[in-house]
Amino acid sequence: MEVKNTTGIYFPIKAEIKGEKPVQAELKPPVPETAERIPKEKLVAKANEMNEFLKPFYTTLKFQLHEKLDEYYVQVIDTQTDEVLKEIPNKKFLDMYASLAEIAGLLIDKKL
């Protein structure tokens, strides 16, 4: 069995092994060169289309910006109770990823 496409967690730490350059921690995973950024206006338009589609199901989408990672995540919200039904990706996971990347950067900076 051959695995061709896998997703993984990127550990965004840049370090020079033989140099004396300081270590720099990045909080965002690298964007593949083939990926293109979607304009914010297009995302808002698609979110509005999805909201219209989901109206009979009493759900709506809400795009939230994760401040530390500067990445968006989506919340599926029940419009009758204002309860968050699902987050994609999970906000707690994004928080954990940001704090681990920050801690890893601090530990490496202190060793140098």
Side-chain angles (χ1 to χ4, degrees):
M1 180 173 151
E2 182 179 338
V3 178
K4 292 185 179 180
N5 262 343
T6 61
T7 57
I9 298 174
Y10 296 98
F11 291 98
I13 297 174
K14 296 179 182 177
E16 291 288 326
I17 295 175
K18 294 184 179 181
E20 292 195 18
K21 293 182 181 180
V23 174
Q24 180 182 3
E26 242 180 57
L27 291 179
K28 290 189 342 185
V31 178
E33 292 178 15
T34 58
E36 62 181 65
R37 285 286 192 193
I38 300 172
K40 186 177 181 179
E41 296 81 24
K42 196 170 185 178
L43 281 175
V44 170
K46 289 295 179 185
N48 289 336
E49 286 177 25
M50 288 297 295
N51 284 337
E52 285 299 317
F53 175 75
L54 295 173
K55 219 175 216 178
F57 302 106
Y58 301 107
T59 57
T60 187
L61 297 177
K62 185 176 183 181
F63 286 85
Q64 295 280 25
L65 179 67
H66 193 275
E67 295 170 3
K68 288 185 178 179
L69 295 176
D70 196 31
E71 291 288 332
Y72 284 95
Y73 63 97
V74 180
Q75 292 179 326
V76 180
I77 300 174
D78 183 346
T79 55
Q80 292 179 330
T81 62
D82 287 333
E83 178 186 359
V84 176
L85 302 174
K86 187 158 184 101
E87 291 177 330
I88 308 166
N90 193 331
K91 184 180 185 305
K92 288 183 181 181
F93 177 77
L94 293 175
D95 291 339
M96 180 186 66
Y97 176 79
S99 63
L100 285 175
E102 185 177 345
I103 289 170
L106 290 174
L107 289 176
I108 292 174
D109 284 342
K110 287 184 180 180
K111 285 186 177 182
L112 294 177

Coordinates of all heavy atoms in Angstrom, one line a residue, residues 14-104:
K14 N 12.9 27.6 12.4 CA 14.0 27.7 11.5 C 15.3 27.8 12.3 O 15.4 28.6 13.2 CB 13.9 28.9 10.6 CG 12.8 28.9 9.7 CD 12.7 30.1 8.9 CE 11.5 30.2 8.0 NZ 11.4 31.4 7.2
A15 N 16.2 26.9 12.1 CA 17.5 26.9 12.9 C 18.7 26.7 12.0 O 18.6 25.9 11.0 CB 17.4 25.9 14.0
E16 N 19.7 27.4 12.2 CA 21.0 27.2 11.5 C 21.8 26.2 12.4 O 22.1 26.5 13.6 CB 21.7 28.5 11.4 CG 21.1 29.5 10.4 CD 21.2 29.0 9.0 OE1 22.2 28.4 8.6 OE2 20.2 29.2 8.2
I17 N 22.2 25.1 11.8 CA 23.0 24.2 12.6 C 24.4 24.6 12.7 O 25.0 24.5 13.7 CB 22.9 22.8 11.9 CG1 21.4 22.3 12.0 CG2 23.8 21.8 12.6 CD1 21.1 21.0 11.3
K18 N 25.1 25.1 11.6 CA 26.5 25.4 11.6 C 26.7 26.9 11.8 O 27.9 27.3 11.9 CB 27.1 24.9 10.4 CG 27.1 23.4 10.3 CD 27.9 22.9 9.1 CE 27.9 21.4 9.0 NZ 28.6 20.9 7.9
G19 N 25.7 27.7 11.8 CA 25.9 29.1 11.9 C 25.6 29.6 13.2 O 25.2 28.9 14.1
E20 N 25.8 30.9 13.4 CA 25.5 31.5 14.7 C 24.4 32.5 14.6 O 24.3 33.4 15.3 CB 26.7 32.2 15.3 CG 27.8 31.2 15.7 CD 28.9 31.9 16.5 OE1 28.6 32.9 17.1 OE2 30.0 31.3 16.6
K21 N 23.5 32.2 13.6 CA 22.3 33.1 13.4 C 21.3 32.7 14.5 O 21.2 31.6 14.9 CB 21.7 32.9 12.1 CG 22.6 33.4 10.9 CD 21.9 33.2 9.6 CE 22.8 33.7 8.5 NZ 22.2 33.5 7.2
P22 N 20.5 33.7 15.0 CA 19.5 33.4 16.0 C 18.4 32.6 15.4 O 18.1 32.6 14.2 CB 19.0 34.8 16.4 CG 19.3 35.7 15.3 CD 20.6 35.1 14.6
V23 N 17.8 31.8 16.2 CA 16.6 30.9 15.7 C 15.4 31.8 15.7 O 15.1 32.6 16.5 CB 16.4 29.8 16.7 CG1 15.2 29.0 16.4 CG2 17.7 28.9 16.8
Q24 N 14.6 31.6 14.6 CA 13.4 32.3 14.4 C 12.2 31.4 14.4 O 12.3 30.4 13.6 CB 13.5 33.1 13.1 CG 12.3 33.9 12.8 CD 12.5 34.6 11.4 OE1 13.5 34.5 10.8 NE2 11.5 35.4 11.1
A25 N 11.2 31.6 15.2 CA 10.0 30.8 15.2 C 9.0 31.5 14.4 O 8.7 32.7 14.5 CB 9.5 30.6 16.6
E26 N 8.3 30.7 13.5 CA 7.2 31.2 12.7 C 5.9 30.6 13.2 O 5.9 29.4 13.5 CB 7.4 30.7 11.3 CG 7.6 31.8 10.3 CD 7.8 31.2 8.9 OE1 6.9 30.5 8.4 OE2 8.8 31.5 8.3
L27 N 4.9 31.3 13.3 CA 3.6 30.8 13.8 C 2.7 30.3 12.7 O 1.7 29.6 13.0 CB 2.9 31.8 14.6 CG 3.6 32.2 16.0 CD1 2.7 33.2 16.7 CD2 3.7 31.0 16.8
K28 N 3.0 30.5 11.5 CA 2.2 30.0 10.4 C 2.8 28.9 9.6 O 4.0 28.9 9.4 CB 1.9 31.1 9.4 CG 1.0 32.2 9.9 CD 0.5 33.2 9.0 CE 1.1 33.4 7.7 NZ 0.6 34.5 6.9
P29 N 2.1 27.8 9.3 CA 2.7 26.8 8.5 C 3.0 27.3 7.1 O 2.3 28.2 6.6 CB 1.6 25.7 8.5 CG 0.4 26.3 8.8 CD 0.7 27.5 9.7
P30 N 4.0 26.7 6.5 CA 4.3 27.2 5.1 C 3.2 26.9 4.1 O 2.6 25.9 4.2 CB 5.6 26.5 4.8 CG 5.6 25.3 5.7 CD 4.9 25.7 6.9
V31 N 3.0 27.9 3.2 CA 2.0 27.7 2.2 C 2.7 27.1 1.0 O 3.7 27.6 0.5 CB 1.3 29.1 1.8 CG1 0.3 28.9 0.7 CG2 0.7 29.7 3.1
P32 N 2.2 26.0 0.5 CA 2.8 25.4 -0.7 C 2.8 26.4 -1.9 O 1.9 27.2 -2.0 CB 1.9 24.2 -1.0 CG 1.1 23.9 0.2 CD 1.0 25.2 0.9
E33 N 3.8 26.3 -2.7 CA 4.0 27.3 -3.8 C 2.8 27.2 -4.8 O 2.5 28.2 -5.4 CB 5.3 27.0 -4.5 CG 6.5 27.3 -3.7 CD 7.8 27.0 -4.4 OE1 7.8 26.8 -5.6 OE2 8.8 27.0 -3.7
T34 N 2.2 26.0 -4.9 CA 1.1 25.9 -5.9 C -0.2 26.4 -5.3 O -1.1 26.6 -6.1 CB 0.9 24.4 -6.2 OG1 0.7 23.6 -5.1 CG2 2.2 23.9 -6.9
A35 N -0.3 26.7 -4.0 CA -1.5 27.2 -3.4 C -1.7 28.7 -3.7 O -0.7 29.4 -3.7 CB -1.5 27.0 -1.9
E36 N -2.9 29.1 -4.0 CA -3.2 30.5 -4.2 C -4.0 31.0 -3.1 O -4.9 30.3 -2.6 CB -3.8 30.7 -5.6 CG -5.1 30.0 -5.8 CD -5.7 30.2 -7.2 OE1 -5.1 29.7 -8.1 OE2 -6.8 30.9 -7.2
R37 N -3.8 32.3 -2.8 CA -4.6 32.9 -1.7 C -5.9 33.4 -2.4 O -6.0 33.9 -3.5 CB -3.9 34.2 -1.2 CG -2.8 33.8 -0.3 CD -3.3 33.3 1.0 NE -2.3 33.3 2.0 CZ -2.5 32.6 3.2 NH1 -3.6 32.1 3.4 NH2 -1.5 32.6 4.0
I38 N -7.0 33.1 -1.6 CA -8.4 33.5 -2.1 C -8.6 34.9 -1.4 O -8.5 35.1 -0.2 CB -9.4 32.5 -1.6 CG1 -9.1 31.1 -2.2 CG2 -10.8 33.0 -2.0 CD1 -9.9 30.0 -1.7
P39 N -9.1 35.9 -2.2 CA -9.4 37.2 -1.7 C -10.5 37.1 -0.7 O -11.4 36.3 -0.7 CB -9.8 38.0 -2.9 CG -9.5 37.2 -4.1 CD -9.3 35.8 -3.7
K40 N -10.4 38.1 0.3 CA -11.4 38.1 1.4 C -12.8 38.3 0.8 O -13.8 37.7 1.4 CB -11.0 39.2 2.3 CG -11.9 39.3 3.6 CD -11.4 40.3 4.5 CE -12.3 40.3 5.8 NZ -11.9 41.3 6.7
E41 N -13.0 39.1 -0.2 CA -14.3 39.4 -0.7 C -15.0 38.1 -1.3 O -16.2 37.9 -1.1 CB -14.2 40.4 -1.9 CG -13.8 41.8 -1.4 CD -12.3 41.9 -1.3 OE1 -11.5 41.1 -1.9 OE2 -11.8 42.8 -0.5
K42 N -14.1 37.3 -1.9 CA -14.6 36.0 -2.5 C -15.1 35.1 -1.3 O -16.1 34.4 -1.4 CB -13.6 35.4 -3.3 CG -14.1 34.3 -4.2 CD -13.0 33.9 -5.2 CE -13.6 32.9 -6.2 NZ -12.6 32.5 -7.2
L43 N -14.3 35.0 -0.2 CA -14.6 34.2 0.9 C -16.0 34.7 1.5 O -16.8 33.9 1.9 CB -13.5 34.3 2.0 CG -12.3 33.4 1.8 CD1 -11.3 33.7 2.8 CD2 -12.6 32.0 1.7
V44 N -16.1 36.0 1.7 CA -17.4 36.5 2.3 C -18.5 36.2 1.4 O -19.6 35.8 1.9 CB -17.2 38.0 2.5 CG1 -18.6 38.7 2.8 CG2 -16.2 38.3 3.5
A45 N -18.4 36.3 0.1 CA -19.5 36.0 -0.9 C -19.8 34.5 -0.8 O -21.0 34.2 -0.7 CB -19.1 36.3 -2.3
K46 N -18.9 33.6 -0.7 CA -19.1 32.2 -0.6 C -19.8 31.9 0.8 O -20.7 31.0 0.8 CB -17.9 31.3 -0.7 CG -17.3 31.3 -2.1 CD -18.3 30.6 -3.1 CE -17.8 30.6 -4.5 NZ -18.7 30.1 -5.4
A47 N -19.3 32.5 1.8 CA -20.0 32.3 3.1 C -21.4 32.7 3.1 O -22.3 32.0 3.7 CB -19.2 33.1 4.2
N48 N -21.7 33.8 2.5 CA -23.1 34.3 2.4 C -24.0 33.3 1.6 O -25.1 33.0 1.9 CB -23.2 35.7 1.7 CG -22.7 36.7 2.7 OD1 -22.7 36.6 3.9 ND2 -22.2 37.8 2.1
E49 N -23.4 32.7 0.5 CA -24.1 31.7 -0.3 C -24.4 30.5 0.6 O -25.5 29.9 0.5 CB -23.2 31.3 -1.5 CG -23.2 32.3 -2.6 CD -22.3 31.9 -3.8 OE1 -22.1 30.7 -3.9 OE2 -21.8 32.8 -4.5
M50 N -23.4 30.1 1.3 CA -23.6 28.9 2.2 C -24.6 29.2 3.3 O -25.4 28.3 3.6 CB -22.3 28.5 2.9 CG -21.3 27.9 2.0 SD -21.8 26.3 1.3 CE -21.9 25.3 2.8
N51 N -24.6 30.4 3.8 CA -25.7 30.8 4.8 C -27.1 30.7 4.2 O -28.0 30.2 4.9 CB -25.4 32.2 5.3 CG -24.3 32.2 6.3 OD1 -23.9 31.2 6.9 ND2 -23.6 33.3 6.5
E52 N -27.2 31.1 3.0 CA -28.5 31.0 2.3 C -28.9 29.6 2.1 O -30.1 29.2 2.3 CB -28.5 31.8 1.0 CG -28.5 33.3 1.1 CD -29.8 33.8 1.8 OE1 -30.9 33.2 1.5 OE2 -29.7 34.6 2.6
F53 N -27.9 28.8 1.7 CA -28.2 27.3 1.5 C -28.6 26.6 2.8 O -29.4 25.8 2.9 CB -26.9 26.7 0.9 CG -27.0 25.2 0.8 CD1 -27.8 24.6 -0.2 CD2 -26.4 24.3 1.7 CE1 -27.9 23.2 -0.4 CE2 -26.5 23.0 1.6 CZ -27.3 22.4 0.5
L54 N -28.0 27.1 4.0 CA -28.2 26.4 5.2 C -29.3 27.0 6.0 O -29.7 26.5 7.1 CB -26.9 26.5 6.1 CG -25.7 25.7 5.6 CD1 -24.5 26.1 6.4 CD2 -25.9 24.3 5.6
K55 N -30.0 28.0 5.5 CA -31.1 28.7 6.2 C -32.2 27.7 6.7 O -32.7 27.8 7.8 CB -31.6 29.8 5.4 CG -32.0 31.0 6.2 CD -32.4 32.2 5.2 CE -31.9 33.5 5.8 NZ -32.3 34.6 5.0
P56 N -32.6 26.8 5.8 CA -33.7 25.9 6.2 C -33.2 25.0 7.4 O -34.1 24.4 8.1 CB -34.0 25.1 5.0 CG -33.4 25.8 3.8 CD -32.3 26.7 4.4
F57 N -31.9 24.8 7.5 CA -31.5 23.9 8.6 C -31.2 24.7 9.9 O -30.6 24.1 10.8 CB -30.2 23.2 8.1 CG -30.4 22.4 6.9 CD1 -29.9 22.9 5.7 CD2 -31.1 21.2 6.9 CE1 -30.0 22.2 4.5 CE2 -31.3 20.5 5.7 CZ -30.8 21.0 4.5
Y58 N -31.4 26.0 9.9 CA -31.2 26.8 11.1 C -29.8 26.8 11.5 O -29.4 26.8 12.7 CB -32.1 26.4 12.3 CG -33.6 26.5 11.9 CD1 -34.3 25.3 11.7 CD2 -34.2 27.7 11.8 CE1 -35.6 25.4 11.4 CE2 -35.5 27.7 11.4 CZ -36.3 26.6 11.3 OH -37.6 26.6 10.9
T59 N -28.9 26.8 10.5 CA -27.4 26.9 10.8 C -26.8 28.0 10.0 O -27.4 28.4 8.9 CB -26.7 25.6 10.6 OG1 -26.9 25.3 9.2 CG2 -27.1 24.5 11.5
T60 N -25.7 28.6 10.4 CA -25.0 29.6 9.7 C -23.5 29.4 9.9 O -23.1 28.7 10.8 CB -25.4 31.0 10.1 OG1 -24.8 32.0 9.2 CG2 -25.0 31.3 11.5
L61 N -22.7 30.0 9.0 CA -21.3 29.9 9.1 C -20.7 31.2 9.6 O -21.2 32.3 9.2 CB -20.6 29.6 7.7 CG -21.0 28.3 7.1 CD1 -20.3 28.2 5.7 CD2 -20.5 27.1 7.9
K62 N -19.7 31.2 10.4 CA -19.0 32.4 10.8 C -17.5 32.2 10.7 O -17.0 31.2 11.2 CB -19.4 32.6 12.3 CG -18.9 33.9 12.8 CD -19.4 34.1 14.3 CE -18.9 35.4 14.8 NZ -19.4 35.6 16.2
F63 N -16.9 33.1 10.0 CA -15.4 33.0 9.8 C -14.8 33.8 10.9 O -15.1 35.0 11.1 CB -15.0 33.6 8.5 CG -15.3 32.6 7.3 CD1 -16.5 32.6 6.7 CD2 -14.3 31.7 6.9 CE1 -16.8 31.7 5.7 CE2 -14.6 30.9 5.9 CZ -15.9 30.9 5.3
Q64 N -13.8 33.2 11.6 CA -13.1 33.9 12.7 C -11.7 33.9 12.4 O -11.1 32.9 11.8 CB -13.3 33.1 14.1 CG -14.7 33.1 14.6 CD -15.1 34.4 15.2 OE1 -14.5 35.5 15.0 NE2 -16.1 34.3 16.1
L65 N -11.0 34.9 12.8 CA -9.5 35.0 12.6 C -8.8 34.7 13.9 O -9.1 35.2 14.9 CB -9.1 36.5 12.2 CG -7.7 36.7 11.9 CD1 -7.2 36.0 10.7 CD2 -7.4 38.2 11.8
H66 N -7.9 33.7 13.8 CA -7.1 33.3 15.0 C -6.0 34.3 15.0 O -5.2 34.5 14.1 CB -6.6 31.9 14.8 CG -6.0 31.4 16.1 ND1 -4.7 31.6 16.5 CD2 -6.5 30.6 17.1 CE1 -4.5 31.0 17.6 NE2 -5.6 30.4 18.0
E67 N -5.9 35.1 16.1 CA -5.0 36.3 16.2 C -3.5 35.9 16.1 O -2.7 36.5 15.4 CB -5.3 37.1 17.4 CG -6.7 37.7 17.4 CD -7.1 38.3 18.7 OE1 -6.3 38.3 19.6 OE2 -8.2 38.8 18.8
K68 N -3.1 34.8 16.9 CA -1.7 34.5 17.0 C -1.2 33.8 15.7 O -0.1 34.1 15.3 CB -1.5 33.5 18.1 CG -1.6 34.1 19.5 CD -1.2 33.1 20.5 CE -1.3 33.8 21.9 NZ -0.9 32.8 23.0
L69 N -2.0 33.1 15.0 CA -1.6 32.4 13.8 C -2.0 33.2 12.5 O -1.5 32.9 11.4 CB -2.3 31.0 13.7 CG -1.9 30.0 14.7 CD1 -2.7 28.7 14.5 CD2 -0.4 29.7 14.6
D70 N -2.8 34.2 12.6 CA -3.3 35.0 11.5 C -3.9 34.1 10.4 O -3.6 34.2 9.2 CB -2.1 35.8 10.9 CG -2.7 36.9 10.0 OD1 -3.8 37.4 10.3 OD2 -2.0 37.2 9.1
E71 N -4.7 33.1 10.9 CA -5.4 32.2 10.0 C -6.9 32.1 10.3 O -7.2 32.4 11.5 CB -4.8 30.7 10.2 CG -3.4 30.5 9.7 CD -3.3 30.5 8.1 OE1 -4.3 30.2 7.5 OE2 -2.3 30.9 7.6
Y72 N -7.7 31.9 9.4 CA -9.1 31.8 9.6 C -9.6 30.4 10.0 O -9.0 29.4 9.5 CB -9.9 32.2 8.3 CG -9.9 33.7 8.1 CD1 -9.0 34.3 7.3 CD2 -10.8 34.5 8.8 CE1 -8.9 35.7 7.1 CE2 -10.8 35.9 8.6 CZ -9.9 36.5 7.8 OH -9.8 37.8 7.6
Y73 N -10.6 30.3 10.8 CA -11.3 29.0 11.1 C -12.8 29.3 11.0 O -13.2 30.5 11.0 CB -10.9 28.4 12.4 CG -11.2 29.2 13.6 CD1 -12.4 29.0 14.3 CD2 -10.4 30.3 14.1 CE1 -12.7 29.7 15.5 CE2 -10.7 31.0 15.2 CZ -11.9 30.7 15.9 OH -12.2 31.4 17.0
V74 N -13.5 28.3 10.7 CA -15.0 28.4 10.5 C -15.8 27.8 11.7 O -15.4 26.8 12.2 CB -15.4 27.7 9.2 CG1 -16.9 27.8 9.0 CG2 -14.6 28.2 8.0
Q75 N -16.8 28.5 12.1 CA -17.7 28.0 13.1 C -19.1 27.8 12.5 O -19.6 28.6 11.7 CB -17.9 29.1 14.2 CG -16.7 29.3 15.1 CD -16.9 30.3 16.2 OE1 -17.6 31.2 16.0 NE2 -16.3 30.1 17.3
V76 N -19.6 26.6 12.8 CA -21.0 26.3 12.3 C -21.9 26.6 13.5 O -21.7 26.0 14.6 CB -21.1 24.8 11.9 CG1 -22.6 24.6 11.4 CG2 -20.2 24.6 10.7
I77 N -22.8 27.5 13.4 CA -23.6 28.0 14.5 C -25.1 27.7 14.3 O -25.6 27.9 13.2 CB -23.4 29.5 14.7 CG1 -21.9 29.8 15.0 CG2 -24.3 30.1 15.8 CD1 -21.5 31.2 15.0
D78 N -25.8 27.2 15.4 CA -27.2 27.1 15.3 C -27.8 28.4 15.5 O -27.6 29.1 16.5 CB -27.6 26.1 16.5 CG -29.1 25.8 16.5 OD1 -29.9 26.5 15.8 OD2 -29.5 24.9 17.2
T79 N -28.6 28.9 14.6 CA -29.2 30.2 14.6 C -30.3 30.4 15.7 O -30.5 31.5 16.1 CB -29.7 30.7 13.2 OG1 -30.7 29.7 12.8 CG2 -28.6 30.8 12.2
Q80 N -30.9 29.3 16.1 CA -32.0 29.4 17.1 C -31.4 29.6 18.5 O -32.0 30.3 19.3 CB -32.9 28.2 17.0 CG -33.7 28.2 15.7 CD -34.6 26.9 15.7 OE1 -34.2 25.9 16.2 NE2 -35.7 27.0 15.0
T81 N -30.3 28.9 18.8 CA -29.8 29.0 20.1 C -28.4 29.7 20.2 O -27.9 29.9 21.3 CB -29.5 27.5 20.7 OG1 -28.6 26.9 19.8 CG2 -30.9 26.8 20.7
D82 N -27.9 30.1 19.1 CA -26.5 30.7 19.0 C -25.4 29.9 19.6 O -24.4 30.3 20.1 CB -26.5 32.1 19.7 CG -27.2 33.2 18.9 OD1 -27.3 33.0 17.7 OD2 -27.7 34.1 19.5
E83 N -25.6 28.5 19.5 CA -24.7 27.6 20.0 C -23.7 27.2 18.9 O -24.1 27.0 17.7 CB -25.4 26.3 20.5 CG -24.5 25.2 21.0 CD -25.2 23.9 21.3 OE1 -26.5 23.9 21.2 OE2 -24.6 23.0 21.7
V84 N -22.4 27.1 19.2 CA -21.4 26.7 18.2 C -21.5 25.2 18.1 O -21.3 24.4 19.0 CB -20.0 27.1 18.6 CG1 -19.0 26.6 17.6 CG2 -19.9 28.6 18.7
L85 N -21.9 24.7 16.9 CA -22.0 23.2 16.7 C -20.7 22.6 16.3 O -20.4 21.5 16.7 CB -23.0 23.0 15.6 CG -24.5 23.5 15.8 CD1 -25.3 23.3 14.6 CD2 -25.1 22.9 17.0
K86 N -19.9 23.3 15.5 CA -18.6 22.7 15.1 C -17.7 23.8 14.7 O -18.1 24.9 14.3 CB -18.9 21.8 13.9 CG -17.7 21.0 13.4 CD -18.1 19.8 12.6 CE -16.9 19.0 12.3 NZ -16.7 17.9 13.1
E87 N -16.4 23.6 14.9 CA -15.3 24.5 14.5 C -14.4 23.8 13.6 O -14.0 22.6 13.9 CB -14.6 25.1 15.7 CG -15.4 26.0 16.5 CD -14.6 26.5 17.7 OE1 -13.7 25.7 18.2 OE2 -14.9 27.6 18.2
I88 N -14.0 24.4 12.4 CA -13.1 23.7 11.5 C -12.0 24.7 11.1 O -12.3 25.7 10.5 CB -13.9 23.4 10.2 CG1 -15.2 22.6 10.5 CG2 -13.0 22.6 9.2 CD1 -16.1 22.4 9.4
P89 N -10.8 24.4 11.4 CA -10.3 23.5 12.4 C -10.6 23.9 13.8 O -11.0 25.1 14.0 CB -8.8 23.5 12.2 CG -8.5 24.8 11.6 CD -9.7 25.2 10.8
N90 N -10.5 23.0 14.7 CA -10.9 23.3 16.1 C -10.0 24.4 16.7 O -8.8 24.4 16.6 CB -10.7 22.0 16.9 CG -11.3 22.1 18.3 OD1 -11.5 23.2 18.8 ND2 -11.7 21.0 18.8
K91 N -10.7 25.4 17.3 CA -9.9 26.6 17.9 C -9.0 26.1 19.0 O -7.9 26.7 19.1 CB -10.9 27.6 18.5 CG -10.2 28.8 19.0 CD -11.2 29.8 19.5 CE -10.6 31.1 19.9 NZ -9.5 31.0 20.9
K92 N -9.3 25.1 19.8 CA -8.4 24.7 20.9 C -7.2 24.1 20.3 O -6.1 24.3 20.8 CB -9.1 23.6 21.7 CG -10.2 24.3 22.6 CD -10.8 23.2 23.5 CE -11.9 23.9 24.4 NZ -12.5 22.9 25.3
F93 N -7.3 23.4 19.1 CA -6.1 22.9 18.5 C -5.2 24.0 18.0 O -4.0 23.9 18.1 CB -6.5 21.9 17.3 CG -5.4 21.4 16.6 CD1 -4.6 20.4 17.1 CD2 -5.0 21.9 15.3 CE1 -3.5 19.9 16.4 CE2 -3.9 21.4 14.6 CZ -3.2 20.4 15.2
L94 N -5.8 25.0 17.4 CA -5.1 26.2 16.9 C -4.3 26.9 18.0 O -3.2 27.3 17.9 CB -6.0 27.1 16.1 CG -6.5 26.6 14.8 CD1 -7.5 27.6 14.2 CD2 -5.5 26.3 13.8
D95 N -5.0 27.0 19.2 CA -4.4 27.6 20.4 C -3.2 26.8 20.8 O -2.2 27.3 21.1 CB -5.4 27.7 21.5 CG -6.5 28.8 21.2 OD1 -6.3 29.7 20.4 OD2 -7.6 28.7 21.9
M96 N -3.4 25.5 20.9 CA -2.3 24.6 21.3 C -1.1 24.7 20.3 O 0.0 24.8 20.8 CB -2.8 23.2 21.4 CG -1.8 22.2 21.8 SD -2.3 20.5 21.7 CE -2.5 20.2 20.0
Y97 N -1.4 24.7 19.0 CA -0.3 24.8 18.0 C 0.4 26.1 18.2 O 1.7 26.1 18.2 CB -1.0 24.7 16.6 CG 0.1 24.8 15.5 CD1 0.9 23.8 15.2 CD2 0.2 26.0 14.9 CE1 1.8 23.9 14.2 CE2 1.1 26.2 13.8 CZ 1.9 25.1 13.5 OH 2.8 25.3 12.5
A98 N -0.3 27.2 18.4 CA 0.4 28.5 18.5 C 1.2 28.5 19.8 O 2.4 29.0 19.8 CB -0.7 29.6 18.6
S99 N 0.7 28.0 20.9 CA 1.5 28.0 22.1 C 2.7 27.1 22.1 O 3.8 27.4 22.6 CB 0.6 27.7 23.3 OG 0.1 26.4 23.2
L100 N 2.6 25.9 21.4 CA 3.7 25.0 21.3 C 4.8 25.7 20.4 O 6.0 25.5 20.7 CB 3.3 23.7 20.7 CG 2.6 22.8 21.6 CD1 2.1 21.5 20.9 CD2 3.5 22.3 22.8
A101 N 4.4 26.3 19.3 CA 5.4 27.0 18.4 C 6.1 28.1 19.1 O 7.3 28.3 19.0 CB 4.7 27.5 17.2
E102 N 5.3 28.8 20.0 CA 5.9 29.9 20.7 C 6.9 29.4 21.8 O 8.0 29.9 21.9 CB 4.8 30.7 21.4 CG 5.3 31.9 22.1 CD 4.2 32.8 22.7 OE1 3.0 32.5 22.4 OE2 4.5 33.6 23.6
I103 N 6.5 28.3 22.5 CA 7.4 27.7 23.5 C 8.6 27.1 22.9 O 9.8 27.3 23.4 CB 6.6 26.7 24.3 CG1 5.6 27.3 25.2 CG2 7.6 25.8 25.1 CD1 4.6 26.3 25.9
A104 N 8.5 26.5 21.7 CA 9.6 25.9 21.1 C 10.6 27.0 20.6 O 11.8 26.8 20.8 CB 9.2 25.1 19.9

